[in-house]
Amino acid sequence: PLCAWSPHVWWGDADTLVRLTHWQQKREEEGLPRITHVCNACANVVRVRQKDRVPNVQYLDLPMLDVPNITRKDYFWPKTERDLHKAVAFVEKAVHDGGIVLINCWA
């Protein structure tokens, strides 16, 4: 994962999310706090089953789409805007509560 907003917000790809247990161990080895929250911004393609979720990590699954040049007139705008608001609220609350957030996308 790459640090997006030190030290609370990290950015990752599908592999980061699928192998979160591995990355949690690496973070501990490096003296970094564990991820406490995951905002899965591509839950439509990166699916993490309940049994594969890391204990003590809160997940927000959003099936967002990459829509190039989206505008308010586009069909996907209302859903995209709603999901962005959910993501921002989730991240803000996690950071406010002292959490460490991983935001992931497919790429």
Side-chain angles (χ1 to χ4, degrees):
L2 300 173
C3 186
W5 180 32
S6 185
H8 298 285
V9 180
W10 294 75
W11 187 260
D13 59 8
D15 178 70
T16 307
L17 180 57
V18 172
R19 297 187 324 129
L20 185 56
T21 299
H22 165 79
W23 291 111
Q24 293 285 54
Q25 292 171 350
K26 295 289 273 182
R27 290 178 65 82
E28 283 183 1
E29 290 169 9
E30 295 173 12
L32 295 170
R34 295 174 64 86
I35 301 291
T36 59
H37 296 74
V38 169
C39 180
N40 181 5
C42 59
N44 50 327
V45 290
V46 181
R47 294 179 179 96
V48 182
R49 298 175 297 187
Q50 285 298 123
K51 69 177 192 153
D52 296 329
R53 293 181 182 228
V54 177
N56 302 315
V57 174
Q58 294 179 36
Y59 289 78
L60 174 65
D61 295 312
L62 298 170
M64 298 181 75
L65 299 172
D66 288 333
V67 182
N69 304 314
I70 191 170
T71 68
R72 290 184 181 271
K73 295 178 182 180
D74 286 314
Y75 172 80
F76 291 107
W77 180 266
K79 183 181 179 325
T80 300
E81 184 178 38
R82 182 196 71 215
D83 287 348
L84 283 171
H85 284 288
K86 285 181 181 179
V88 168
F90 179 80
V91 171
E92 284 181 338
K93 180 167 181 1
V95 169
H96 179 267
D97 293 345
I100 307 297
V101 184
L102 171 67
I103 302 171
N104 80 286
C105 67
W106 174 250

